[in-house]
Amino acid sequence: MGDKLRLSVGILGNGASLLLYTAPVLTFSRVFKKKSTEEFSCLPYVMTLFNCLIYTWYGLPIVSHCWENFPLVSINGVGIVLESIFIFVYFCYASPKEKIKVGVLFVPLIVVFGLTTAISAVVFEDHRHRKSFVGSVGLVASISMYGSPLIVMLPNMVGTPLGILQLIIYFKYKNKKEAPITTTVVGKWDHEKNKSKLKLVVDIDHDADADDNEKKFMNAC
């Protein structure tokens, strides 16, 4: 009874996982037609590939007991093939900058997978500890896979409160910034006005002195 229940649940899980792994087909058919990845990120597909690799390793007889988790191996094997195709298509049509990002994401995850397989096969001697270790890594991989599409939202989530904070600071100190500028302008204008008046008075006095000197000269003659 327990084996039949496990098989039934495994089949249902495989069906749901197959729908998940084939969902990007429409996206990549669009990429293939337009010959461009546009604004798509490769992170979800790389994380899904990592998840499939971990759980395929988990289901193999090296970690599990015999083939007790064969459904896990079968569906994640299909996932490895599909995600590898998606990443290859993305890499072909991505810009040089995006290709570098793919490499930066892909290589460390392959290294982590290699370390996981080596540690589980060499360090642990029984299936129970191997399953516990690989299952823990698989848990982190699954959380990363389902959370990776949210990476597009995180810059906006961080930027929105920062933008609101900038507006609050602007409206709080806006009037305080305008007052010194107004005073400076008025002060400069008054200074220029006073200089003009002073120059006008000096010019008038100079003209008056010139007239007096001219009259004295005429009287002397």
Side-chain angles (χ1 to χ4, degrees):
M1 182 64 182
D3 293 337
K4 290 183 179 179
L5 181 61
R6 175 182 291 183
L7 180 62
S8 299
V9 173
I11 292 173
L12 291 175
N14 283 2
S17 298
L18 185 62
L19 292 175
L20 176 66
Y21 297 150
T22 56
V25 168
L26 295 177
T27 299
F28 279 92
S29 62
R30 177 180 172 182
V31 170
F32 185 78
K33 289 178 181 178
K34 292 191 173 183
K35 311 296 183 184
S36 172
T37 58
E38 298 178 337
E39 298 298 324
F40 298 125
S41 173
C42 192
L43 179 62
Y45 314 112
V46 175
M47 296 307 304
T48 304
L49 176 62
F50 178 62
N51 181 76
C52 292
L53 289 170
I54 292 294
Y55 279 107
T56 299
W57 177 250
Y58 181 90
L60 292 175
I62 300 175
V63 177
S64 299
H65 180 68
C66 296
W67 289 100
E68 61 178 351
N69 289 315
F70 177 75
L72 200 62
V73 176
S74 61
I75 188 60
N76 282 284
V78 174
I80 291 172
V81 174
L82 290 174
E83 299 305 322
S84 298
I85 294 172
F86 295 152
I87 294 172
F88 177 75
V89 173
Y90 185 95
F91 190 83
C92 289
Y93 295 108
S95 64
K97 183 178 179 181
E98 292 299 323
K99 289 180 180 179
I100 294 174
K101 289 183 180 180
V102 174
V104 170
L105 292 172
F106 186 77
V107 173
L109 291 179
I110 296 300
V111 172
V112 172
F113 173 69
L115 291 174
T116 302
T117 58
I119 293 172
S120 60
V122 176
V123 176
F124 302 104
E125 297 180 355
D126 58 280
H127 293 290
R128 184 172 66 87
H129 288 92
R130 289 174 181 174
K131 288 169 68 175
S132 178
F133 173 70
V134 179
S136 299
V137 178
L139 179 63
V140 175
S142 296
I143 294 173
S144 302
M145 179 185 72
Y146 290 112
S148 57
L150 297 176
I151 196 67
V152 179
M153 296 176 58
L154 297 181
N156 293 329
M157 292 175 65
V158 175
T160 299
L162 291 178
I164 294 173
L165 180 62
Q166 290 180 7
L167 289 175
I168 292 173
I169 294 174
Y170 172 77
F171 284 109
K172 183 177 180 180
Y173 295 103
K174 182 180 67 171
N175 294 330
K176 292 183 179 181
K177 288 181 179 180
E178 289 179 352
I181 295 174
T182 304
T183 304
T184 303
V185 172
V186 172
K188 184 177 179 181
W189 185 82
D190 290 338
H191 178 68
E192 295 292 336
K193 186 176 180 181
N194 291 333
K195 284 178 63 178
S196 300
K197 288 182 178 179
L198 181 61
K199 183 178 180 182
L200 180 61
V201 171
V202 171
D203 290 341
I204 292 173
D205 291 341
H206 178 73
D207 292 341
D209 291 340
D211 291 339
D212 291 340
N213 292 331
E214 184 178 357
K215 288 179 180 179
K216 289 181 181 179
F217 178 77
M218 294 296 295
N219 292 329
C221 293

